[in-house]
Amino acid sequence: MTTPALVAFDLDDTLALSKSPISPRIAELLRALLHRVEVAIISGGNEAQFRTQVIAQLGETDAARLGRLHLLPTCGTRYLRHDGTSFAPLYSHDLTDDEKTRALTALREEADRLGLWETEPWGEILEDRGSQITFSALGQKAPGDAKHAWDPTGAKRLTLRDAVAARVPDLEVRAGGSTSIDITRAGIDKAYGMTQLAEFTGIPLSSMLFYGDRLDEGGNDYPVLALGVPSVAVDGWEDTADKLDELLKAL
């Protein structure tokens, strides 16, 4: 492909370990990218996670570079840009109280019915992220090894997703990370977020490049690939870093 004008990333298990800060190596690579192209991060994580995992790790990055960074938490239901002083929202598609209640109830009841409700989780299982309701089967603070072992084939998440989707047909229900189910307003997923990037930046999707660890059909990065955005599959943040070393040589 031609040299991308914008490079986009998933966050957990692509730029960092799940819910962990990006490494100094990734931070340096992002700063180098921001010197050359627009950079976007789109993930199911909430805004607070973006601020602790990414923004806080970029150190004394100047405002000009930060102005090229596009942050899309909660699967693109929010969009943050740097205004010269701090990151501020361009939009936020928050769920209504009724939508949140129905989503939370469906997740709790269907997980219990299917035997997927953990009685001793690591932290909260259900989280209201404003524009997204998230179910984390083992809890929000579960260690990575336990999360990856919980549903290696994805069958548990897909079964729960289908059961919950039948209860809230007016909302978007997706299998998220290794243990999660995400619920947003209908039609809003990572493909929506990438389309918004194209609209706000004027950069066509064909001139973007996306890195993600779940580009397989049914994975939460797959909508980006299906949209036609040139994409690179990665296996963890170290693999991403190695591939960025190669990309930077071509930019």
Side-chain angles (χ1 to χ4, degrees):
M1 65 168 290
T2 58
T3 301
L6 182 149
V7 181
F9 302 91
D10 170 48
L11 179 51
D12 285 348
D13 297 320
T14 295
L15 286 178
L17 293 173
S18 181
K19 293 187 174 63
S20 301
I22 59 173
S23 69
R25 182 183 176 193
I26 287 290
E28 183 57 38
L29 287 166
L30 289 178
R31 283 191 289 266
L33 273 178
L34 287 166
H35 185 64
R36 296 165 173 81
V37 296
E38 302 287 309
V39 174
I41 301 174
I42 181 168
S43 168
N46 62 25
E47 182 178 327
Q49 287 174 237
F50 273 59
R51 292 185 180 277
T52 57
Q53 287 182 254
V54 180
I55 297 173
Q57 311 308 316
L58 291 178
E60 298 300 319
T61 305
D62 61 76
R65 292 195 195 188
L66 291 177
R68 299 191 189 99
L69 181 58
H70 309 255
L71 302 178
L72 294 99
T74 49
C75 295
T77 60
R78 295 174 184 263
Y79 185 178
L80 308 176
R81 290 289 305 275
H82 200 268
D83 61 8
T85 303
S86 62
F87 282 90
L90 292 183
Y91 68 70
S92 179
H93 298 304
D94 290 345
L95 294 163
T96 66
D97 288 343
D98 173 68
E99 289 169 335
K100 291 178 182 180
T101 297
R102 290 188 292 112
L104 289 165
T105 300
L107 283 166
R108 178 65 174 87
E109 293 181 352
E110 293 304 317
D112 190 51
R113 182 180 67 83
L114 293 167
L116 300 177
W117 187 265
E118 178 62 48
T119 57
E120 296 182 3
W122 286 273
E124 295 296 323
I125 291 176
L126 295 174
E127 183 184 6
D128 177 358
R129 296 180 175 177
S131 54
Q132 177 177 290
I133 297 296
T134 295
F135 166 91
S136 297
L138 302 180
Q140 293 289 332
K141 299 178 181 179
D145 55 349
K147 292 170 67 174
H148 288 295
W150 181 74
D151 186 25
T153 68
K156 292 178 182 178
R157 279 170 295 146
L158 294 180
T159 299
L160 179 57
R161 181 202 65 186
D162 291 347
V164 172
R167 294 273 302 266
V168 288
D170 57 319
L171 299 177
E172 191 81 27
V173 184
R174 296 178 306 278
S178 53
T179 65
S180 63
I181 301 292
D182 297 326
I183 301 179
T184 62
R185 287 196 170 167
I188 298 182
D189 58 11
K190 288 187 178 181
Y192 172 85
M194 297 300 290
T195 301
Q196 291 300 298
L197 270 177
E199 182 175 325
F200 276 92
T201 64
I203 298 171
L205 295 171
S206 59
S207 296
M208 298 182 184
L209 181 63
F210 176 77
Y211 290 77
D213 70 305
R214 292 292 313 283
L215 287 165
D216 53 298
E217 190 167 357
N220 63 350
D221 295 324
Y222 180 74
V224 180
L225 179 64
L227 187 63
V229 178
S231 299
V232 178
V234 297
D235 183 17
W237 73 265
E238 297 97 334
D239 186 32
T240 303
D242 290 342
K243 288 174 176 172
L244 287 181
D245 282 334
E246 295 303 311
L247 176 66
L248 282 164
K249 293 176 184 177
L251 294 178

